[in-house]
Amino acid sequence: MEFGNEMQKNVYAMLVSWFGPDIQAGAIRLIQDRPMFLLQQGSAIVQITVSAMGDGEAVITVGAGVVAEAQITPELMLFLLAHNSSTWFGAFGLDPQSGVISFDHSIIGSTCDQKELHTSISAVAGTADAMDDLIIEKFGGKSALAMVTQ
């Protein structure tokens, strides 16, 4: 695996050590060729990615695809933006290429501690799991879990 800088490598190693028991138990999956981990909570599939940021920093991004194939309308955009304004951690986004609605939160790697990362994972997983059904009901589409299991 290649790293963009030494901090990315160090932060990735830190996460491997923190997640060790969960990786061994199969609750968290380590992606072998990328600095990424996967876990599932309810219908949410959460990705935890470590990226280089410049020459000396790393960013941990905790994200989940929430819904694909929803009808992208002004009403959906307003719904997502309104939710973004009331959430403590993370925000909804839309990939313009795939049309996938995601929920993501980023943390500076060098200062992250286990409690902060756990809070981020819980917030992203909980939001994605709770909001997918509501978005699908109002705007159509498929959940992330349905996308993966088809």
Side-chain angles (χ1 to χ4, degrees):
M1 179 178 330
E2 292 186 32
F3 295 97
N5 64 38
E6 195 65 23
M7 184 58 72
Q8 181 190 20
K9 182 178 179 180
N10 294 340
V11 170
Y12 175 75
M14 177 179 72
L15 268 56
V16 168
S17 72
W18 289 352
F19 293 155
D22 291 318
I23 292 169
Q24 294 297 322
I28 295 179
R29 185 172 155 227
L30 181 81
I31 304 303
Q32 294 299 323
D33 60 341
R34 292 181 281 172
M36 178 187 290
F37 308 85
L38 296 175
L39 64 95
Q40 182 179 340
Q41 179 177 314
S43 60
I45 299 172
V46 178
Q47 296 180 19
I48 303 150
T49 307
V50 182
S51 303
M53 186 172 115
D55 292 333
E57 189 54 82
V59 175
I60 302 166
T61 302
V62 179
V66 181
V67 173
E69 301 177 12
Q71 295 179 4
I72 308 303
T73 64
E75 292 79 18
L76 172 60
M77 297 295 108
L78 183 60
F79 176 85
L80 297 175
L81 286 172
H83 187 77
N84 285 350
S85 71
S86 66
T87 188
W88 289 0
F89 299 102
F92 282 104
L94 175 67
D95 183 320
Q97 301 296 86
S98 67
V100 172
I101 298 166
S102 63
F103 191 80
D104 303 284
H105 180 245
S106 296
I107 306 167
I108 296 294
S110 63
T111 59
C112 181
D113 62 30
Q114 281 183 285
K115 184 176 181 181
E116 181 179 19
L117 183 58
H118 177 74
T119 300
S120 179
I121 293 168
S122 294
V124 169
T127 300
D129 187 37
M131 295 298 289
D132 61 354
D133 292 333
L134 184 58
I135 293 169
I136 291 166
E137 179 182 309
K138 290 179 174 253
F139 304 102
K142 298 177 183 173
S143 72
L145 187 58
M147 290 183 285
V148 171
T149 57
Q150 287 184 339

